[in-house]
Amino acid sequence: MMEEEARKLLEEGINKKLISPGKGDLPAFPLGTKVVFHYRTSLCDGTVLDDSREMGGHCKPMELILGKKFKLVVWERVIVTMRPGEVAEFTCDSKHTSLYPLVSQSLRNISVGKDPLEGQRHCCGIAQIHSHHSLGHKDLDHLQANPQPLVFSIELLQVLPPGTYELDIWAMTDEQKLQFVPHIHEEGNQLFKEGKIKEASEKYYNGIACLKNLQMKEHPGEESWIKLDHMVTPLLLNYCQCKLQMGQYYEVIEHCSALVFKQLEGLLQTCQSPRCRVE
C-alpha cells in the first residue's frame, strides 16, 4: 500500500522520504478534517526558507482544514499520505510550488501579528507570480522570479475529524461569522475587565477581521456594507483602548485618525445632500 502511494506521488512529481513512521492506521481524511503539523521548507540545496518552529519567535504549528481550497494544494496532497506522529520529507516539482512565495509571505505576516494579506491586496496571486511585485523578502522575491522544486519536511501532529474541533474564523461561513462577532466582542469585554489586555485585544482583532472579511464581499456605500462598517467601529475603539494600555501609541493614532476622517467624510456627504440645502 505504501509502495503504491509512493508510486502515485512520483507520477505527480512528488518524492516522499519517510523519516519517522507514525502510529496506527492511515486516517480516512474526509473533507473538513483539520490537520495540525509542523513544517520546514527548504531549497534542494538545503537552504531553509521557513520553519514553523521558529517563525516569528514562536513554535506554532500549521493548521489546515482539508477541502477549504488552501492556496498551496500540494500540502493537502502529501498530508493525506501520513499517519499521526509521522515525519516525512516531500520533494515537490516546481509545478506544485509556484505559489509558495505568496503563501510564505502570508504565514510570515501572521507569525509577527500582521495582516496575512499585507502586500497582496492590489494584485491577484497569478498576476504577482508573473510580475516584478516585491513580497518584502529577498529570498521570496528570488524564488518568485526563479520557480524551483522545494523540499517540505512535515511532522503530522494531529488529525481531527469534522465535528471534533471548533472552527477557526477563516473556515466559517458568512452566517457563522456574523453570529460569532457579538460572542467574541463579549469575550473581549470580559477579558478587558479581568485585566487581560493582550488577550482582549486579540478577541477584538478577530472580530474586526470577521467583519472586514464580510465587507470585502459587499459594494462600498451599500446598506449592507455600511451596516458592517458600523459594527466595526466599537470593536476598533475597544481594540485601540487595549493598544493604548499596551503603549502602542502610533497604531492607536493611525486607527483613531482613520475613524475621525471617516466621520468627517460622512458629515460632509450629509451636508451636501439636497435635503440639507436651504432654498
Side-chain angles (χ1 to χ4, degrees):
M1 184 69 177
M2 291 178 62
E3 292 179 359
E4 176 65 16
E5 187 62 48
R7 185 186 62 77
K8 289 181 180 178
L9 288 174
L10 276 174
E11 291 176 352
E12 297 172 32
I14 302 169
N15 182 32
K16 177 177 179 179
K17 179 182 178 182
L18 184 64
I19 305 300
S20 177
K23 298 179 180 179
D25 297 328
L26 185 70
F29 294 109
L31 293 181
T33 296
K34 183 175 184 176
V35 291
V36 183
F37 59 97
H38 273 301
Y39 69 92
R40 184 178 69 247
T41 306
S42 310
L43 302 179
C44 288
D45 65 4
T47 301
V48 176
L49 296 174
D50 296 307
D51 189 330
S52 62
R53 292 180 177 82
E54 299 177 0
M55 288 181 73
H58 306 292
C59 185
K60 186 175 182 180
M62 180 69 187
E63 299 180 0
L64 281 183
I65 296 180
L66 303 182
K68 288 292 182 178
K69 298 182 180 179
F70 183 65
K71 193 174 289 184
L72 195 65
V73 179
V74 72
W75 272 2
E76 292 196 26
R77 176 66 184 95
V78 301
I79 284 289
V80 298
T81 72
M82 302 180 70
R83 291 170 171 76
E86 181 177 323
V87 181
E89 285 185 357
F90 299 89
T91 302
C92 303
D93 288 353
S94 55
K95 66 182 179 182
H96 296 296
T97 63
S98 60
L99 287 179
Y100 186 76
L102 291 177
V103 171
S104 176
Q105 182 198 32
S106 293
L107 294 176
R108 292 181 188 187
N109 283 344
I110 291 171
S111 72
V112 294
K114 292 183 179 180
D115 184 336
L117 295 180
E118 185 173 311
Q120 299 181 22
R121 297 196 178 279
H122 305 294
C123 192
C124 73
I126 297 300
Q128 281 187 312
I129 290 299
H130 299 289
S131 74
H132 298 291
H133 179 83
S134 174
L135 298 175
H137 303 274
K138 289 183 178 180
D139 57 348
L140 299 184
D141 287 342
H142 183 267
L143 183 59
Q144 181 173 256
N146 304 276
Q148 55 193 281
L150 295 175
V151 180
F152 300 115
S153 300
I154 295 177
E155 179 184 1
L156 183 57
L157 303 175
Q158 285 183 292
V159 178
L160 304 171
T164 64
Y165 59 89
E166 184 175 331
L167 277 177
D168 292 322
I169 292 173
W170 61 267
M172 293 179 178
T173 64
D174 289 352
E175 185 178 354
Q176 288 173 326
K177 287 175 183 175
L178 203 55
Q179 294 173 349
F180 182 64
V181 169
H183 175 69
I184 201 171
H185 194 163
E186 183 57 37
E187 284 185 340
N189 290 347
Q190 186 59 42
L191 288 167
F192 188 87
K193 291 175 184 177
E194 295 172 1
K196 299 176 181 178
I197 307 304
K198 184 176 183 298
E199 291 84 354
S201 72
E202 291 172 355
K203 293 291 184 180
Y204 295 138
Y205 179 87
N206 286 337
I208 293 167
C210 253
L211 294 171
K212 288 294 184 182
N213 179 270
L214 292 172
Q215 263 192 317
M216 290 173 65
K217 302 176 183 179
E218 306 290 345
H219 292 290
E222 290 190 350
E223 184 178 350
S224 54
W225 188 94
I226 292 172
K227 182 179 178 180
L228 290 167
D229 207 46
H230 287 162
M231 293 174 67
V232 168
T233 300
L235 281 164
L236 186 55
L237 289 172
N238 288 1
Y239 178 76
C240 287
Q241 182 65 31
C242 291
K243 290 296 179 178
L244 191 64
Q245 294 203 25
M246 294 163 68
Q248 298 180 15
Y249 306 119
Y250 288 109
E251 187 173 354
V252 174
I253 291 170
E254 180 182 351
H255 289 308
C256 288
S257 297
L259 283 173
V260 169
F261 282 123
K262 186 188 297 182
Q263 292 298 319
L264 289 174
E265 185 179 37
L267 287 172
L268 182 60
Q269 289 175 350
T270 301
C271 291
Q272 290 176 340
S273 171
R275 289 176 294 178
C276 292
R277 293 174 187 168
V278 178
E279 297 295 338

